[in-house]
Amino acid sequence: MEIISSNSNKFVKLARSLAEKKYRDQTGLFLVEGGNSVYDMPDSAMVEFFLVSERRAEEFEFKKPNRKAPCYMVTDSVMQSLSDTVTPYGVAAVVKKPDNIFFEPGGNALILDGVSDSGNLGTIFRTAAAAGFNDIYLLSSADAYSPKVVRASMSAIFKVRTAVIDEDKALYLAKGYNGVALDMGGEDIKNLKIDKPVTLILGSEAHGVRGSLIKAAKKTVRIDMKNNMESLNVAVAAGIAMYFIN
């Protein structure tokens, strides 16, 4: 197999462009980078092509997901140019984004209001998949398909449904699907009694959940803290709240 050594190769240029949201939006594609993320993709993932570094070629041949998508071998330096990590694993895939149109929740769900940190968003995806909160609605939040979110999700991006929504849709969900807002002005989450499934609403660490959503939710809850701590990282708070609700 010919080894691609130039960053001007058309497949490499396409993969590199997906670091920017405008190109993800234009092409309908996103980049999955890293061994765990690539090897754990479900069969439903619509892979356009794989890029594999020379040092991972033998491993990839053994572990390659059962797909007909083509694979192109690249030099380590080309692979480095694709990744925003210091030491990339050496395996990547260009994948079609699903149609993230609005859908009704099928069970426990999340509304993430203004969660702009990509690492936090990916971590929430990972925990949500593990906790069975399979529907995630993004309101003024980071792009679910940025490389950092995809990497932090550890393949959970393929195991949850996502949709970008506006405030009207968020209010509709909060009112109609047992909305539970996480806010320090609420009751102790340990005392929460509400019919399931629920739609858990979380905001950014800086601004919290917007007032209109708190008002629309059926319940508002807090996580009690000791030692005069004022708040938790939003990904940590999301994990605690999801497992309390379960």
Side-chain angles (χ1 to χ4, degrees), residues 178-194 198-203 208-209 213-215 217-225 237-238 240-242 244-245:
N178 292 333
V180 176
L182 192 62
D183 182 82
M184 288 307 296
E187 64 178 288
D188 190 333
I189 194 171
K190 295 190 293 293
N191 299 325
L192 175 65
K193 294 181 180 179
I194 191 170
V198 305
T199 297
L200 177 63
I201 309 165
L202 298 110
V209 177
L213 286 177
I214 292 175
K215 185 176 180 180
K218 288 193 174 181
K219 298 279 186 177
T220 303
V221 297
R222 71 177 188 277
I223 297 171
D224 278 342
M225 286 171 280
I240 292 170
M242 282 187 278
F244 260 120
I245 287 170

